[in-house]
Amino acid sequence: MNRRDFLKTTALLGGGALMMTGWPGALLAQETPKKGGTLIWGHSETTQSLDMHVTGSASTLRLLENIHCPIVTVDKAFNVIPMLAESFEESPDGLTYTFKLRKDVKFHNGKTLDSADVKYSFDRVRDPKTGAVNFEVFKDVTAIETPDANTVIVKLGRVNAPFLSRLAENGAGVIMPAGSGEGQANMPVGAGPFKFVRREFGHEVELVRFDDYFEGPAYLDKVISREITEPTVRLTGLRTGELHMINDIPADRVTEVEGIDTLQTLKWFPLNFDFLNFNHDFEPFKDARVREAFDLMIDKEQLLQGALWDQGKLTASPSFPTSSSYDAALQQRPQDLDKAMALLAEAGYGPGKLKLVFKTTTNYPYHVESAQIMAEWFRAAGVEMKIEQLTWADWLSQVWVNRDFQISMMNFFTLWEPDFLYYSLWNSTGAFNYRNIKDAEIDALTQQARGTVDPVARADLYKKVQQRIHDQTLDVILWFRNGTIGAQKTVGGLDTIVHPNGSNLRFHKVWLNT
């Protein structure tokens, strides 16, 4: 069923390029890069704390990727490769990692990178007082040694198979100048291709080229990120030329933009996965029967068409689709309102007895539409639900930080590394477990996976985790969403902009052909 047919056959809403799997490679037309100019980027989200060790917001990380560099990174095939490190070595017993640092790296404050900066950064993430979202990456670290200015030795108390790959993702391995932590939230200082200049909160951020960047200076003089969360306003800015590029073309306008001669588009799969969240401390959702009932109320295909305009693909597994941990055999539950109502009645919630507040953020308009569609299905199953629309900052404060919610919806950006995905989101101590999930079996499996070196055996453990998430309906996994960028034809190097993780954007090799 396409979107047009969906709108004809349901009253739920009241009336109302280039496709690649994984990382978008160099497939767009190439020209000779030019130096200079200021790129105006229509950023679809509002940045939060600019401290890359602390922030858990993918929208903020997307910007900070241009200011900071990690000690290691990944290539297009997700192989861990050196970055600020010149090389790295793992001991045969998996308990010692030795990093040799590059000698040509300068921070934006003029300081040359050395081992003290690495130790400082790792210790800062490890320290509970910092509030780093990736604190548990260093859970097994027993010592960090710096025998000389260019050598760092990290010792573990037990094998942690994903340790290196976790350093390559989401800021865990980002190196900051020693002693700079206190000021990072408002004035980030890193070793990346652009320096932070200023921020007008909720409006725009200005970055300027760092000429001493160790991989060579960027082509652009500046990047200005204008935070425009309203999709139509963002698209209008692109069409009028006020903006050079935007991320997240409105789902219902992608085809239209692809047909405009003055614009170019980039589309890749996937950008993120979306899922329905239950607060497991809310009494009704402590009962697995109630959670399963809500899963059974949802027609996933109609939801994909109605809210996302078919700009994605259904999935029951949140694993990156090319990952060995992706369980293709796992199937979503089909809609069955009668069974849903029977489960609710069995749990003591007959028609009209369960009343909920669904907190969603206007930062993702398709989440609001999803909530509106689901509200009708929930109502048909005897559940009364009020939708509360929150700004991104309020959603983060209420749902993410304070866990003050009953039911919600969120997306996570690919999370290709399975430990990052499953430990962070579903382990009871995971940094991203804002749903208060406490499942002893998942805790044991995710910890076991950390100590399992064999990749096949590790992937099998993560498949067991997925099965447990599904069987207990800890969350409802909905779909993978496409990533999209629209840009003026004058923007060069667009094919280089998307990080292999499918989320972060990097402007180092982007230029303006004007």
Side-chain angles (χ1 to χ4, degrees):
M1 178 183 290
N2 60 32
R3 169 76 179 197
R4 183 176 297 170
D5 292 338
F6 175 84
L7 291 177
K8 286 180 179 178
T9 58
T10 179
L12 300 184
L13 293 180
L18 175 64
M19 176 64 78
M20 291 161 269
T21 299
W23 187 83
L27 299 180
L28 300 182
Q30 294 297 303
E31 297 180 13
T32 303
K34 295 184 178 180
K35 193 169 183 178
T38 298
L39 183 137
I40 311 297
W41 163 32
H43 190 176
S44 63
E45 301 175 57
T46 303
T47 56
Q48 304 300 313
S49 169
L50 297 177
D51 185 339
M52 198 165 182
H53 287 161
V54 173
T55 189
S57 167
S59 58
T60 308
L61 293 169
R62 195 172 292 136
L63 178 84
L64 294 175
E65 173 77 14
N66 296 279
I67 297 172
H68 290 289
C69 293
I71 193 166
V72 292
T73 187
V74 291
D75 62 17
K76 300 172 192 177
F78 299 116
N79 298 305
V80 179
I81 58 175
M83 191 164 196
L84 293 183
E86 183 179 76
S87 64
F88 56 82
E89 181 180 338
E90 179 182 353
S91 64
D93 62 5
L95 297 177
T96 303
Y97 292 84
T98 301
F99 300 91
K100 292 291 185 180
L101 304 181
R102 296 179 62 115
K103 298 178 181 178
D104 58 348
V105 176
K106 286 189 179 294
F107 290 107
H108 301 156
N109 62 4
K111 182 184 184 301
T112 300
L113 170 76
D114 63 25
S115 58
D117 302 305
V118 177
K119 178 174 170 53
Y120 169 79
S121 298
F122 287 178
D123 281 340
R124 184 170 187 261
V125 176
R126 295 171 67 198
D127 186 351
K129 296 178 182 177
T130 302
V133 294
N134 286 289
F135 66 92
E136 37 84 12
V137 173
F138 295 89
K139 185 177 181 180
D140 297 320
V141 171
T142 58
I144 300 173
E145 300 174 356
T146 55
D148 60 58
N150 296 104
T151 305
V152 178
I153 300 172
V154 180
K155 295 186 175 181
L156 278 60
R158 58 181 172 181
V159 171
N160 188 327
F163 180 68
L164 266 180
S165 57
R166 288 297 304 272
L167 292 181
E169 181 65 6
N170 201 45
V174 158
I175 308 304
M176 302 173 174
S180 69
E182 190 172 330
Q184 288 285 343
N186 296 307
M187 184 63 69
V189 177
F194 289 90
K195 295 190 294 185
F196 176 83
V197 176
R198 63 178 176 86
R199 172 169 74 166
E200 297 174 33
F201 190 84
H203 178 52
E204 69 178 31
V205 180
E206 180 180 347
L207 308 179
V208 65
R209 180 178 61 237
F210 180 47
D211 287 327
D212 290 330
Y213 180 55
F214 67 94
E215 290 188 321
Y219 301 122
L220 296 167
D221 292 333
K222 293 182 180 181
V223 173
I224 293 180
S225 166
R226 289 190 181 158
E227 299 172 356
I228 308 172
T229 60
E230 213 294 314
T232 303
V233 175
R234 197 165 61 248
L235 182 55
T236 299
L238 179 66
R239 297 193 64 167
T240 60
E242 179 185 351
L243 304 173
H244 289 106
M245 63 161 278
I246 64 172
N247 65 296
D248 275 356
I249 302 170
D252 59 330
R253 309 287 292 277
V254 173
T255 302
E256 173 191 333
V257 175
E258 288 174 333
I260 299 175
D261 291 341
T262 57
L263 301 178
Q264 57 180 321
T265 60
L266 181 70
K267 186 160 66 174
W268 66 98
F269 174 86
L271 170 67
N272 63 265
F273 73 89
D274 287 88
F275 59 158
L276 184 70
N277 299 152
F278 309 111
N279 188 336
H280 288 241
D281 277 355
F282 178 56
E283 188 61 37
F285 292 138
K286 292 180 180 179
D287 192 323
R289 294 171 297 182
V290 176
R291 301 193 301 268
E292 182 179 344
F294 276 80
D295 189 1
L296 289 165
M297 295 176 203
I298 303 168
D299 184 323
K300 281 79 173 178
E301 178 63 33
Q302 285 205 7
L303 191 65
L304 178 71
Q305 297 289 344
L308 205 58
W309 292 76
D310 204 28
Q311 291 296 319
K313 182 179 179 181
L314 296 178
T315 182
S317 166
S319 280
F320 199 80
T322 59
S323 170
S324 60
S325 67
Y326 182 81
D327 189 352
L330 201 62
Q331 298 294 309
Q332 292 176 318
R333 293 183 177 94
Q335 186 182 52
D336 189 333
L337 294 178
D338 290 338
K339 186 176 180 180
M341 293 178 72
L343 283 171
L344 288 179
E346 185 181 316
Y349 299 100
K353 289 190 176 181
L354 185 53
K355 299 179 181 180
L356 298 173
V357 175
F358 191 122
K359 291 188 176 182
T360 186
T361 173
T362 54
N363 195 64
Y364 300 111
Y366 72 97
H367 283 190
V368 176
E369 291 192 2
S370 293
Q372 291 169 343
I373 294 171
M374 286 188 283
E376 296 298 326
W377 288 325
F378 297 168
R379 189 174 296 118
V383 176
E384 295 182 28
M385 189 177 82
K386 174 186 175 183
I387 298 172
E388 190 172 327
Q389 298 185 32
L390 304 174
T391 65
W392 183 225
D394 285 343
W395 189 95
L396 287 170
S397 175
Q398 293 182 33
V399 179
W400 178 272
V401 177
N402 295 327
R403 306 183 182 189
D404 176 19
F405 75 104
Q406 297 169 356
I407 187 169
S408 188
M409 181 178 177
M410 190 34 56
N411 53 246
F412 274 80
F413 289 83
T414 60
L415 304 188
W416 60 270
E417 208 296 315
D419 180 75
F420 182 24
L421 173 59
Y422 292 108
Y423 196 103
S424 296
L425 272 165
W426 283 283
N427 187 286
S428 61
T429 64
F432 295 165
N433 184 2
Y434 57 94
R435 288 97 64 229
N436 298 306
I437 293 170
K438 303 175 185 68
D439 188 284
E441 184 173 329
I442 285 184
D443 285 354
L445 287 168
T446 50
Q447 187 59 54
Q448 183 183 352
R450 285 189 158 186
T452 302
V453 176
D454 179 71
V456 175
R458 241 182 117 220
D460 286 343
L461 289 171
Y462 289 126
K463 288 179 180 179
K464 290 181 180 179
V465 172
Q466 293 164 60
Q467 189 67 55
R468 180 70 176 176
I469 293 168
H470 176 78
D471 290 347
Q472 295 297 308
T473 323
L474 300 180
D475 294 290
V476 179
I477 312 300
L478 295 170
W479 56 57
F480 290 120
R481 180 167 68 105
N482 300 338
T484 55
I485 288 175
Q488 305 293 333
K489 285 281 182 73
T490 54
V491 178
L494 194 65
D495 56 292
T496 71
I497 199 169
V498 182
H499 186 280
N501 66 15
S503 173
N504 291 348
L505 304 181
R506 195 166 169 85
F507 295 96
H508 180 218
K509 296 296 183 182
V510 175
W511 73 91
L512 289 177
N513 190 16
T514 57

